[in-house]
Amino acid sequence: MRLFVAIRFTPEVQNTLIDCIKELKSSSLSGNFTRPENLHLTLAFIGETSNLNAAKKCMDAISCGKFDITLKGFGRFGDLWWVGLAENPKLSMLVKDLQQRLRDCGFNISTRPFRPHITIAREVKTVSDQIHLNVPNISMTVDRISLMKSERIEGKLIYTQLYAKHL
Ligand code: 3AM
C-alpha cells in the first residue's frame, strides 16, 4: 500500500481552505481541485510498503508535544496550487525528526527540503497569471499526526487514515 504521514485539519481550517478552492475555481478554466475530505499537509511521503508497523513505530517515537500552525499565503509549483503556512520551527523540527526516523527504519524518504504546503488543486489552467486568493491567517492546534493510505478507486483519489499518533 501507498502511505504518507500527514496533518489533518479542524473543520474551521478545512472550511477556510474550501473557500480558497472556490476562489481559485472561479478564476480557472479547469483544474483538478482537492476534495474537502482529502485536504491535508504532508509531513513525509513513504510510498509503497507493506510494513505498516514500522511506520507506526516511527510515529510513536515522536515526542514533540502539541503545537499550533497558522495558514499564510498561497503559491504554485507549476500547475499545482497550494496554501502555505506561517514559519514554524516546531513543525520543521517534527518533520526533520519524523523523516529521519523513517529513513533509519529503511523507508526511502526524499531528502528535498521540506516546504510546507497544502495542495488545493492540480493541473490548473487559469485565464491570467494575476490570480489572488484571500487566505485568512487562521490557526489550529496540531494534537496528532496521521498515517494515511492513498489509493485510486475508479479514478478517484481516496485517502484513508490508518493510524493516528497523539502528540
Ligand atoms: O500533499 P501533497 O499534495 O503535497 O504529491 C503527493 C501528495 O503531496 C505526494 O505525497 C502526498 C500524498 O500523496 N507524493 C506522491 N508521490 C510522491 C513521491 N514519489 C510524493 N511525494 C514525494 N515523492
PDB file of all heavy atoms in Angstrom, residues 2-6 34 38-47 77 80-82 108-110 112 115 117-120 122 148-150 157 159, ligand 1:
ATOM      1  N   ARG A   2       0.233   2.337  -0.447  1.00  0.00           N
ATOM      2  CA  ARG A   2       0.959   3.600  -0.590  1.00  0.00           C
ATOM      3  C   ARG A   2       0.644   4.479   0.620  1.00  0.00           C
ATOM      4  O   ARG A   2      -0.525   4.784   0.873  1.00  0.00           O
ATOM      5  CB  ARG A   2       0.429   4.255  -1.871  1.00  0.00           C
ATOM      6  CG  ARG A   2       1.226   5.351  -2.468  1.00  0.00           C
ATOM      7  CD  ARG A   2       0.498   5.712  -3.762  1.00  0.00           C
ATOM      8  NE  ARG A   2       0.972   6.933  -4.314  1.00  0.00           N
ATOM      9  CZ  ARG A   2       2.003   7.023  -5.150  1.00  0.00           C
ATOM     10  NH1 ARG A   2       2.637   5.946  -5.533  1.00  0.00           N
ATOM     11  NH2 ARG A   2       2.376   8.196  -5.621  1.00  0.00           N
ATOM     12  N   LEU A   3       1.687   4.833   1.364  1.00  0.00           N
ATOM     13  CA  LEU A   3       1.464   5.524   2.634  1.00  0.00           C
ATOM     14  C   LEU A   3       2.116   6.901   2.680  1.00  0.00           C
ATOM     15  O   LEU A   3       3.136   7.139   2.028  1.00  0.00           O
ATOM     16  CB  LEU A   3       2.058   4.699   3.792  1.00  0.00           C
ATOM     17  CG  LEU A   3       1.542   3.278   4.006  1.00  0.00           C
ATOM     18  CD1 LEU A   3       2.236   2.646   5.215  1.00  0.00           C
ATOM     19  CD2 LEU A   3       0.032   3.262   4.199  1.00  0.00           C
ATOM     20  N   PHE A   4       1.539   7.768   3.470  1.00  0.00           N
ATOM     21  CA  PHE A   4       2.204   9.026   3.816  1.00  0.00           C
ATOM     22  C   PHE A   4       1.742   9.469   5.209  1.00  0.00           C
ATOM     23  O   PHE A   4       0.716   8.997   5.700  1.00  0.00           O
ATOM     24  CB  PHE A   4       1.972  10.117   2.766  1.00  0.00           C
ATOM     25  CG  PHE A   4       0.544  10.557   2.571  1.00  0.00           C
ATOM     26  CD1 PHE A   4       0.074  11.726   3.145  1.00  0.00           C
ATOM     27  CD2 PHE A   4      -0.336   9.815   1.789  1.00  0.00           C
ATOM     28  CE1 PHE A   4      -1.242  12.153   2.959  1.00  0.00           C
ATOM     29  CE2 PHE A   4      -1.655  10.221   1.596  1.00  0.00           C
ATOM     30  CZ  PHE A   4      -2.106  11.397   2.178  1.00  0.00           C
ATOM     31  N   VAL A   5       2.537  10.336   5.827  1.00  0.00           N
ATOM     32  CA  VAL A   5       2.176  10.864   7.146  1.00  0.00           C
ATOM     33  C   VAL A   5       1.751  12.310   6.955  1.00  0.00           C
ATOM     34  O   VAL A   5       2.397  13.068   6.213  1.00  0.00           O
ATOM     35  CB  VAL A   5       3.358  10.777   8.135  1.00  0.00           C
ATOM     36  CG1 VAL A   5       2.928  11.270   9.518  1.00  0.00           C
ATOM     37  CG2 VAL A   5       3.888   9.342   8.223  1.00  0.00           C
ATOM     38  N   ALA A   6       0.656  12.677   7.607  1.00  0.00           N
ATOM     39  CA  ALA A   6       0.080  14.000   7.342  1.00  0.00           C
ATOM     40  C   ALA A   6      -0.550  14.604   8.585  1.00  0.00           C
ATOM     41  O   ALA A   6      -0.816  13.912   9.571  1.00  0.00           O
ATOM     42  CB  ALA A   6      -0.980  13.880   6.255  1.00  0.00           C
ATOM     43  N   THR A  34      -8.774  19.741  -5.062  1.00  0.00           N
ATOM     44  CA  THR A  34      -8.743  18.776  -3.958  1.00  0.00           C
ATOM     45  C   THR A  34     -10.117  18.677  -3.301  1.00  0.00           C
ATOM     46  O   THR A  34     -10.722  19.705  -2.956  1.00  0.00           O
ATOM     47  CB  THR A  34      -7.693  19.193  -2.904  1.00  0.00           C
ATOM     48  OG1 THR A  34      -6.437  19.358  -3.567  1.00  0.00           O
ATOM     49  CG2 THR A  34      -7.535  18.144  -1.814  1.00  0.00           C
ATOM     50  N   ASN A  38     -10.020  15.281   1.394  1.00  0.00           N
ATOM     51  CA  ASN A  38      -8.628  14.933   1.067  1.00  0.00           C
ATOM     52  C   ASN A  38      -7.627  16.014   1.479  1.00  0.00           C
ATOM     53  O   ASN A  38      -6.425  15.820   1.322  1.00  0.00           O
ATOM     54  CB  ASN A  38      -8.479  14.679  -0.437  1.00  0.00           C
ATOM     55  CG  ASN A  38      -8.901  13.264  -0.822  1.00  0.00           C
ATOM     56  OD1 ASN A  38      -9.303  12.489   0.048  1.00  0.00           O
ATOM     57  ND2 ASN A  38      -8.811  12.933  -2.090  1.00  0.00           N
ATOM     58  N   LEU A  39      -8.119  17.146   1.984  1.00  0.00           N
ATOM     59  CA  LEU A  39      -7.191  18.230   2.344  1.00  0.00           C
ATOM     60  C   LEU A  39      -6.292  17.794   3.505  1.00  0.00           C
ATOM     61  O   LEU A  39      -6.770  17.234   4.497  1.00  0.00           O
ATOM     62  CB  LEU A  39      -7.985  19.479   2.738  1.00  0.00           C
ATOM     63  CG  LEU A  39      -8.638  20.218   1.568  1.00  0.00           C
ATOM     64  CD1 LEU A  39      -9.725  21.166   2.061  1.00  0.00           C
ATOM     65  CD2 LEU A  39      -7.581  20.971   0.750  1.00  0.00           C
ATOM     66  N   HIS A  40      -5.005  18.022   3.380  1.00  0.00           N
ATOM     67  CA  HIS A  40      -4.044  17.588   4.403  1.00  0.00           C
ATOM     68  C   HIS A  40      -2.726  18.321   4.182  1.00  0.00           C
ATOM     69  O   HIS A  40      -2.514  18.917   3.121  1.00  0.00           O
ATOM     70  CB  HIS A  40      -3.793  16.080   4.273  1.00  0.00           C
ATOM     71  CG  HIS A  40      -3.075  15.756   2.994  1.00  0.00           C
ATOM     72  ND1 HIS A  40      -3.727  15.549   1.798  1.00  0.00           N
ATOM     73  CD2 HIS A  40      -1.754  15.684   2.711  1.00  0.00           C
ATOM     74  CE1 HIS A  40      -2.839  15.355   0.855  1.00  0.00           C
ATOM     75  NE2 HIS A  40      -1.631  15.425   1.370  1.00  0.00           N
ATOM     76  N   LEU A  41      -1.838  18.224   5.158  1.00  0.00           N
ATOM     77  CA  LEU A  41      -0.458  18.701   4.999  1.00  0.00           C
ATOM     78  C   LEU A  41       0.451  17.480   5.082  1.00  0.00           C
ATOM     79  O   LEU A  41       0.518  16.819   6.128  1.00  0.00           O
ATOM     80  CB  LEU A  41      -0.107  19.687   6.120  1.00  0.00           C
ATOM     81  CG  LEU A  41       1.361  20.103   6.178  1.00  0.00           C
ATOM     82  CD1 LEU A  41       1.700  21.039   5.018  1.00  0.00           C
ATOM     83  CD2 LEU A  41       1.677  20.779   7.502  1.00  0.00           C
ATOM     84  N   THR A  42       1.137  17.177   3.995  1.00  0.00           N
ATOM     85  CA  THR A  42       2.043  16.019   4.001  1.00  0.00           C
ATOM     86  C   THR A  42       3.304  16.342   4.804  1.00  0.00           C
ATOM     87  O   THR A  42       3.954  17.365   4.576  1.00  0.00           O
ATOM     88  CB  THR A  42       2.449  15.638   2.562  1.00  0.00           C
ATOM     89  OG1 THR A  42       1.269  15.290   1.832  1.00  0.00           O
ATOM     90  CG2 THR A  42       3.403  14.451   2.540  1.00  0.00           C
ATOM     91  N   LEU A  43       3.646  15.445   5.728  1.00  0.00           N
ATOM     92  CA  LEU A  43       4.881  15.588   6.512  1.00  0.00           C
ATOM     93  C   LEU A  43       5.981  14.694   5.943  1.00  0.00           C
ATOM     94  O   LEU A  43       7.160  15.046   5.983  1.00  0.00           O
ATOM     95  CB  LEU A  43       4.633  15.222   7.977  1.00  0.00           C
ATOM     96  CG  LEU A  43       3.516  15.998   8.688  1.00  0.00           C
ATOM     97  CD1 LEU A  43       3.363  15.502  10.116  1.00  0.00           C
ATOM     98  CD2 LEU A  43       3.804  17.495   8.672  1.00  0.00           C
ATOM     99  N   ALA A  44       5.571  13.519   5.460  1.00  0.00           N
ATOM    100  CA  ALA A  44       6.550  12.588   4.869  1.00  0.00           C
ATOM    101  C   ALA A  44       5.818  11.655   3.931  1.00  0.00           C
ATOM    102  O   ALA A  44       4.798  11.057   4.315  1.00  0.00           O
ATOM    103  CB  ALA A  44       7.234  11.777   5.965  1.00  0.00           C
ATOM    104  N   PHE A  45       6.340  11.536   2.697  1.00  0.00           N
ATOM    105  CA  PHE A  45       5.762  10.579   1.758  1.00  0.00           C
ATOM    106  C   PHE A  45       6.562   9.287   1.865  1.00  0.00           C
ATOM    107  O   PHE A  45       7.765   9.273   1.608  1.00  0.00           O
ATOM    108  CB  PHE A  45       5.806  11.134   0.325  1.00  0.00           C
ATOM    109  CG  PHE A  45       5.261  10.160  -0.676  1.00  0.00           C
ATOM    110  CD1 PHE A  45       3.897   9.945  -0.773  1.00  0.00           C
ATOM    111  CD2 PHE A  45       6.106   9.437  -1.495  1.00  0.00           C
ATOM    112  CE1 PHE A  45       3.373   9.023  -1.670  1.00  0.00           C
ATOM    113  CE2 PHE A  45       5.597   8.518  -2.412  1.00  0.00           C
ATOM    114  CZ  PHE A  45       4.232   8.316  -2.490  1.00  0.00           C
ATOM    115  N   ILE A  46       5.909   8.209   2.282  1.00  0.00           N
ATOM    116  CA  ILE A  46       6.587   6.921   2.495  1.00  0.00           C
ATOM    117  C   ILE A  46       6.599   6.107   1.212  1.00  0.00           C
ATOM    118  O   ILE A  46       7.579   5.449   0.879  1.00  0.00           O
ATOM    119  CB  ILE A  46       5.884   6.140   3.643  1.00  0.00           C
ATOM    120  CG1 ILE A  46       6.046   6.906   4.964  1.00  0.00           C
ATOM    121  CG2 ILE A  46       6.436   4.729   3.748  1.00  0.00           C
ATOM    122  CD1 ILE A  46       5.279   6.296   6.139  1.00  0.00           C
ATOM    123  N   GLY A  47       5.502   6.125   0.476  1.00  0.00           N
ATOM    124  CA  GLY A  47       5.408   5.356  -0.764  1.00  0.00           C
ATOM    125  C   GLY A  47       4.950   3.931  -0.507  1.00  0.00           C
ATOM    126  O   GLY A  47       4.394   3.622   0.555  1.00  0.00           O
ATOM    127  N   PHE A  77       3.398  25.435  -7.642  1.00  0.00           N
ATOM    128  CA  PHE A  77       4.540  24.747  -8.236  1.00  0.00           C
ATOM    129  C   PHE A  77       4.033  24.361  -9.621  1.00  0.00           C
ATOM    130  O   PHE A  77       3.329  23.369  -9.762  1.00  0.00           O
ATOM    131  CB  PHE A  77       4.911  23.466  -7.477  1.00  0.00           C
ATOM    132  CG  PHE A  77       5.225  23.633  -6.002  1.00  0.00           C
ATOM    133  CD1 PHE A  77       4.825  22.672  -5.077  1.00  0.00           C
ATOM    134  CD2 PHE A  77       5.950  24.716  -5.526  1.00  0.00           C
ATOM    135  CE1 PHE A  77       5.126  22.788  -3.727  1.00  0.00           C
ATOM    136  CE2 PHE A  77       6.259  24.839  -4.174  1.00  0.00           C
ATOM    137  CZ  PHE A  77       5.838  23.877  -3.277  1.00  0.00           C
ATOM    138  N   LEU A  80       0.344  23.155 -10.031  1.00  0.00           N
ATOM    139  CA  LEU A  80      -0.170  22.737  -8.715  1.00  0.00           C
ATOM    140  C   LEU A  80      -0.251  23.981  -7.820  1.00  0.00           C
ATOM    141  O   LEU A  80       0.726  24.717  -7.678  1.00  0.00           O
ATOM    142  CB  LEU A  80       0.771  21.695  -8.117  1.00  0.00           C
ATOM    143  CG  LEU A  80       0.417  21.104  -6.741  1.00  0.00           C
ATOM    144  CD1 LEU A  80       1.053  19.725  -6.580  1.00  0.00           C
ATOM    145  CD2 LEU A  80       0.806  21.987  -5.565  1.00  0.00           C
ATOM    146  N   TRP A  81      -1.426  24.206  -7.257  1.00  0.00           N
ATOM    147  CA  TRP A  81      -1.634  25.390  -6.394  1.00  0.00           C
ATOM    148  C   TRP A  81      -1.721  24.952  -4.946  1.00  0.00           C
ATOM    149  O   TRP A  81      -2.295  23.899  -4.636  1.00  0.00           O
ATOM    150  CB  TRP A  81      -2.927  26.114  -6.796  1.00  0.00           C
ATOM    151  CG  TRP A  81      -2.771  26.902  -8.055  1.00  0.00           C
ATOM    152  CD1 TRP A  81      -2.580  26.396  -9.317  1.00  0.00           C
ATOM    153  CD2 TRP A  81      -2.760  28.331  -8.167  1.00  0.00           C
ATOM    154  NE1 TRP A  81      -2.452  27.424 -10.207  1.00  0.00           N
ATOM    155  CE2 TRP A  81      -2.561  28.616  -9.538  1.00  0.00           C
ATOM    156  CE3 TRP A  81      -2.914  29.380  -7.265  1.00  0.00           C
ATOM    157  CZ2 TRP A  81      -2.506  29.924 -10.019  1.00  0.00           C
ATOM    158  CZ3 TRP A  81      -2.855  30.681  -7.731  1.00  0.00           C
ATOM    159  CH2 TRP A  81      -2.655  30.942  -9.103  1.00  0.00           C
ATOM    160  N   TRP A  82      -1.150  25.779  -4.058  1.00  0.00           N
ATOM    161  CA  TRP A  82      -1.141  25.446  -2.628  1.00  0.00           C
ATOM    162  C   TRP A  82      -1.426  26.664  -1.762  1.00  0.00           C
ATOM    163  O   TRP A  82      -1.225  27.798  -2.178  1.00  0.00           O
ATOM    164  CB  TRP A  82       0.187  24.804  -2.224  1.00  0.00           C
ATOM    165  CG  TRP A  82       1.439  25.492  -2.677  1.00  0.00           C
ATOM    166  CD1 TRP A  82       2.194  25.150  -3.769  1.00  0.00           C
ATOM    167  CD2 TRP A  82       2.112  26.612  -2.073  1.00  0.00           C
ATOM    168  NE1 TRP A  82       3.278  25.983  -3.876  1.00  0.00           N
ATOM    169  CE2 TRP A  82       3.259  26.885  -2.844  1.00  0.00           C
ATOM    170  CE3 TRP A  82       1.858  27.409  -0.949  1.00  0.00           C
ATOM    171  CZ2 TRP A  82       4.148  27.932  -2.535  1.00  0.00           C
ATOM    172  CZ3 TRP A  82       2.740  28.446  -0.634  1.00  0.00           C
ATOM    173  CH2 TRP A  82       3.868  28.686  -1.429  1.00  0.00           C
ATOM    174  N   ASN A 108      12.420   4.954   2.061  1.00  0.00           N
ATOM    175  CA  ASN A 108      13.140   5.834   1.143  1.00  0.00           C
ATOM    176  C   ASN A 108      12.452   7.211   1.125  1.00  0.00           C
ATOM    177  O   ASN A 108      11.596   7.470   0.290  1.00  0.00           O
ATOM    178  CB  ASN A 108      13.133   5.178  -0.250  1.00  0.00           C
ATOM    179  CG  ASN A 108      13.928   5.970  -1.247  1.00  0.00           C
ATOM    180  OD1 ASN A 108      14.727   6.835  -0.867  1.00  0.00           O
ATOM    181  ND2 ASN A 108      13.695   5.710  -2.514  1.00  0.00           N
ATOM    182  N   ILE A 109      12.841   8.064   2.069  1.00  0.00           N
ATOM    183  CA  ILE A 109      12.196   9.375   2.208  1.00  0.00           C
ATOM    184  C   ILE A 109      13.038  10.414   1.475  1.00  0.00           C
ATOM    185  O   ILE A 109      14.260  10.478   1.667  1.00  0.00           O
ATOM    186  CB  ILE A 109      12.070   9.765   3.706  1.00  0.00           C
ATOM    187  CG1 ILE A 109      11.379   8.649   4.507  1.00  0.00           C
ATOM    188  CG2 ILE A 109      11.368  11.104   3.861  1.00  0.00           C
ATOM    189  CD1 ILE A 109       9.939   8.386   4.150  1.00  0.00           C
ATOM    190  N   SER A 110      12.382  11.229   0.686  1.00  0.00           N
ATOM    191  CA  SER A 110      13.087  12.256  -0.089  1.00  0.00           C
ATOM    192  C   SER A 110      13.928  13.151   0.821  1.00  0.00           C
ATOM    193  O   SER A 110      13.507  13.491   1.932  1.00  0.00           O
ATOM    194  CB  SER A 110      12.050  13.101  -0.835  1.00  0.00           C
ATOM    195  OG  SER A 110      12.642  14.296  -1.275  1.00  0.00           O
ATOM    196  N   ARG A 112      14.744  16.126  -0.184  1.00  0.00           N
ATOM    197  CA  ARG A 112      14.466  17.519  -0.601  1.00  0.00           C
ATOM    198  C   ARG A 112      14.011  18.338   0.605  1.00  0.00           C
ATOM    199  O   ARG A 112      13.281  17.816   1.458  1.00  0.00           O
ATOM    200  CB  ARG A 112      13.363  17.536  -1.665  1.00  0.00           C
ATOM    201  CG  ARG A 112      13.917  17.269  -3.063  1.00  0.00           C
ATOM    202  CD  ARG A 112      12.927  17.692  -4.099  1.00  0.00           C
ATOM    203  NE  ARG A 112      11.586  17.150  -3.826  1.00  0.00           N
ATOM    204  CZ  ARG A 112      10.673  16.950  -4.738  1.00  0.00           C
ATOM    205  NH1 ARG A 112      10.910  17.248  -5.987  1.00  0.00           N
ATOM    206  NH2 ARG A 112       9.490  16.479  -4.432  1.00  0.00           N
ATOM    207  N   ARG A 115       9.015  21.924   2.276  1.00  0.00           N
ATOM    208  CA  ARG A 115       8.333  23.200   2.026  1.00  0.00           C
ATOM    209  C   ARG A 115       6.862  22.996   2.328  1.00  0.00           C
ATOM    210  O   ARG A 115       6.122  22.474   1.500  1.00  0.00           O
ATOM    211  CB  ARG A 115       8.513  23.630   0.552  1.00  0.00           C
ATOM    212  CG  ARG A 115       9.944  24.020   0.252  1.00  0.00           C
ATOM    213  CD  ARG A 115      10.055  24.688  -1.088  1.00  0.00           C
ATOM    214  NE  ARG A 115       9.212  25.863  -1.196  1.00  0.00           N
ATOM    215  CZ  ARG A 115       9.037  26.537  -2.329  1.00  0.00           C
ATOM    216  NH1 ARG A 115       9.632  26.138  -3.431  1.00  0.00           N
ATOM    217  NH2 ARG A 115       8.274  27.604  -2.350  1.00  0.00           N
ATOM    218  N   HIS A 117       3.210  22.871   2.447  1.00  0.00           N
ATOM    219  CA  HIS A 117       2.180  23.395   1.540  1.00  0.00           C
ATOM    220  C   HIS A 117       0.971  22.478   1.566  1.00  0.00           C
ATOM    221  O   HIS A 117       1.112  21.268   1.731  1.00  0.00           O
ATOM    222  CB  HIS A 117       2.733  23.501   0.105  1.00  0.00           C
ATOM    223  CG  HIS A 117       3.065  22.182  -0.473  1.00  0.00           C
ATOM    224  ND1 HIS A 117       4.264  21.539  -0.254  1.00  0.00           N
ATOM    225  CD2 HIS A 117       2.321  21.332  -1.240  1.00  0.00           C
ATOM    226  CE1 HIS A 117       4.263  20.384  -0.856  1.00  0.00           C
ATOM    227  NE2 HIS A 117       3.091  20.208  -1.461  1.00  0.00           N
ATOM    228  N   ILE A 118      -0.186  23.068   1.421  1.00  0.00           N
ATOM    229  CA  ILE A 118      -1.439  22.313   1.369  1.00  0.00           C
ATOM    230  C   ILE A 118      -1.924  22.385  -0.071  1.00  0.00           C
ATOM    231  O   ILE A 118      -2.303  23.473  -0.545  1.00  0.00           O
ATOM    232  CB  ILE A 118      -2.477  22.932   2.325  1.00  0.00           C
ATOM    233  CG1 ILE A 118      -1.925  22.975   3.757  1.00  0.00           C
ATOM    234  CG2 ILE A 118      -3.796  22.166   2.257  1.00  0.00           C
ATOM    235  CD1 ILE A 118      -2.570  24.049   4.629  1.00  0.00           C
ATOM    236  N   THR A 119      -1.882  21.255  -0.747  1.00  0.00           N
ATOM    237  CA  THR A 119      -2.276  21.248  -2.161  1.00  0.00           C
ATOM    238  C   THR A 119      -3.785  21.461  -2.263  1.00  0.00           C
ATOM    239  O   THR A 119      -4.566  20.689  -1.706  1.00  0.00           O
ATOM    240  CB  THR A 119      -1.888  19.903  -2.821  1.00  0.00           C
ATOM    241  OG1 THR A 119      -0.473  19.743  -2.701  1.00  0.00           O
ATOM    242  CG2 THR A 119      -2.299  19.866  -4.286  1.00  0.00           C
ATOM    243  N   ILE A 120      -4.173  22.513  -2.977  1.00  0.00           N
ATOM    244  CA  ILE A 120      -5.619  22.759  -3.138  1.00  0.00           C
ATOM    245  C   ILE A 120      -6.093  22.421  -4.554  1.00  0.00           C
ATOM    246  O   ILE A 120      -7.292  22.264  -4.777  1.00  0.00           O
ATOM    247  CB  ILE A 120      -6.015  24.207  -2.755  1.00  0.00           C
ATOM    248  CG1 ILE A 120      -5.222  25.245  -3.550  1.00  0.00           C
ATOM    249  CG2 ILE A 120      -5.852  24.419  -1.259  1.00  0.00           C
ATOM    250  CD1 ILE A 120      -5.813  26.653  -3.424  1.00  0.00           C
ATOM    251  N   ARG A 122      -4.562  20.667  -8.634  1.00  0.00           N
ATOM    252  CA  ARG A 122      -3.511  20.276  -9.573  1.00  0.00           C
ATOM    253  C   ARG A 122      -4.021  20.542 -10.985  1.00  0.00           C
ATOM    254  O   ARG A 122      -5.221  20.681 -11.193  1.00  0.00           O
ATOM    255  CB  ARG A 122      -3.208  18.783  -9.454  1.00  0.00           C
ATOM    256  CG  ARG A 122      -2.547  18.378  -8.147  1.00  0.00           C
ATOM    257  CD  ARG A 122      -2.189  16.896  -8.189  1.00  0.00           C
ATOM    258  NE  ARG A 122      -1.238  16.546  -7.145  1.00  0.00           N
ATOM    259  CZ  ARG A 122      -1.547  16.329  -5.878  1.00  0.00           C
ATOM    260  NH1 ARG A 122      -2.810  16.399  -5.500  1.00  0.00           N
ATOM    261  NH2 ARG A 122      -0.627  16.034  -4.982  1.00  0.00           N
ATOM    262  N   MET A 148      -1.599   7.873   6.585  1.00  0.00           N
ATOM    263  CA  MET A 148      -2.646   7.846   5.570  1.00  0.00           C
ATOM    264  C   MET A 148      -2.310   6.842   4.469  1.00  0.00           C
ATOM    265  O   MET A 148      -1.153   6.735   4.053  1.00  0.00           O
ATOM    266  CB  MET A 148      -2.799   9.231   4.924  1.00  0.00           C
ATOM    267  CG  MET A 148      -3.023  10.375   5.896  1.00  0.00           C
ATOM    268  SD  MET A 148      -4.542  10.244   6.831  1.00  0.00           S
ATOM    269  CE  MET A 148      -5.770  10.398   5.546  1.00  0.00           C
ATOM    270  N   LYS A 149      -3.353   6.146   4.018  1.00  0.00           N
ATOM    271  CA  LYS A 149      -3.209   5.279   2.838  1.00  0.00           C
ATOM    272  C   LYS A 149      -3.776   6.044   1.655  1.00  0.00           C
ATOM    273  O   LYS A 149      -4.840   6.670   1.768  1.00  0.00           O
ATOM    274  CB  LYS A 149      -3.992   3.986   3.057  1.00  0.00           C
ATOM    275  CG  LYS A 149      -3.971   3.065   1.844  1.00  0.00           C
ATOM    276  CD  LYS A 149      -4.481   1.683   2.187  1.00  0.00           C
ATOM    277  CE  LYS A 149      -5.992   1.672   2.254  1.00  0.00           C
ATOM    278  NZ  LYS A 149      -6.551   0.300   2.285  1.00  0.00           N
ATOM    279  N   SER A 150      -3.055   5.989   0.545  1.00  0.00           N
ATOM    280  CA  SER A 150      -3.519   6.670  -0.670  1.00  0.00           C
ATOM    281  C   SER A 150      -3.818   5.615  -1.737  1.00  0.00           C
ATOM    282  O   SER A 150      -2.972   4.768  -2.025  1.00  0.00           O
ATOM    283  CB  SER A 150      -2.398   7.605  -1.147  1.00  0.00           C
ATOM    284  OG  SER A 150      -2.623   8.005  -2.467  1.00  0.00           O
ATOM    285  N   LEU A 157      -9.157   9.660  -6.178  1.00  0.00           N
ATOM    286  CA  LEU A 157      -8.111   9.556  -5.166  1.00  0.00           C
ATOM    287  C   LEU A 157      -8.764   9.474  -3.783  1.00  0.00           C
ATOM    288  O   LEU A 157      -9.490  10.384  -3.385  1.00  0.00           O
ATOM    289  CB  LEU A 157      -7.218  10.796  -5.268  1.00  0.00           C
ATOM    290  CG  LEU A 157      -5.874  10.782  -4.572  1.00  0.00           C
ATOM    291  CD1 LEU A 157      -5.044   9.571  -4.981  1.00  0.00           C
ATOM    292  CD2 LEU A 157      -5.127  12.074  -4.892  1.00  0.00           C
ATOM    293  N   TYR A 159      -8.073   8.902   0.318  1.00  0.00           N
ATOM    294  CA  TYR A 159      -7.124   8.843   1.428  1.00  0.00           C
ATOM    295  C   TYR A 159      -7.852   8.289   2.653  1.00  0.00           C
ATOM    296  O   TYR A 159      -8.937   8.765   2.992  1.00  0.00           O
ATOM    297  CB  TYR A 159      -6.591  10.233   1.782  1.00  0.00           C
ATOM    298  CG  TYR A 159      -5.785  10.916   0.705  1.00  0.00           C
ATOM    299  CD1 TYR A 159      -5.820  12.308   0.562  1.00  0.00           C
ATOM    300  CD2 TYR A 159      -4.962  10.200  -0.151  1.00  0.00           C
ATOM    301  CE1 TYR A 159      -5.063  12.953  -0.399  1.00  0.00           C
ATOM    302  CE2 TYR A 159      -4.203  10.840  -1.122  1.00  0.00           C
ATOM    303  CZ  TYR A 159      -4.261  12.212  -1.240  1.00  0.00           C
ATOM    304  OH  TYR A 159      -3.523  12.848  -2.192  1.00  0.00           O
TER     305      TYR A 159
HETATM  306  O1  3AM B   1       0.377  16.643  -0.010  1.00  0.00           O
HETATM  307  P1  3AM B   1       0.874  16.887  -1.385  1.00  0.00           P
HETATM  308  O2  3AM B   1      -0.190  17.125  -2.389  1.00  0.00           O
HETATM  309  O3  3AM B   1       1.973  17.858  -1.445  1.00  0.00           O
HETATM  310  O4  3AM B   1       2.014  14.656  -4.251  1.00  0.00           O
HETATM  311  C1  3AM B   1       1.705  13.719  -3.271  1.00  0.00           C
HETATM  312  C2  3AM B   1       0.965  14.318  -2.100  1.00  0.00           C
HETATM  313  O5  3AM B   1       1.612  15.542  -1.789  1.00  0.00           O
HETATM  314  C3  3AM B   1       2.967  13.262  -2.589  1.00  0.00           C
HETATM  315  O6  3AM B   1       2.506  12.702  -1.377  1.00  0.00           O
HETATM  316  C4  3AM B   1       1.303  13.344  -0.991  1.00  0.00           C
HETATM  317  C5  3AM B   1       0.228  12.306  -0.734  1.00  0.00           C
HETATM  318  O7  3AM B   1       0.050  11.524  -1.887  1.00  0.00           O
HETATM  319  N1  3AM B   1       3.719  12.288  -3.371  1.00  0.00           N
HETATM  320  C6  3AM B   1       3.228  11.367  -4.216  1.00  0.00           C
HETATM  321  N2  3AM B   1       4.248  10.658  -4.775  1.00  0.00           N
HETATM  322  C7  3AM B   1       5.385  11.164  -4.254  1.00  0.00           C
HETATM  323  C8  3AM B   1       6.757  10.857  -4.409  1.00  0.00           C
HETATM  324  N3  3AM B   1       7.173   9.879  -5.215  1.00  0.00           N
HETATM  325  C9  3AM B   1       5.051  12.206  -3.355  1.00  0.00           C
HETATM  326  N4  3AM B   1       5.969  12.908  -2.686  1.00  0.00           N
HETATM  327  C10 3AM B   1       7.269  12.563  -2.887  1.00  0.00           C
HETATM  328  N5  3AM B   1       7.646  11.578  -3.713  1.00  0.00           N
END
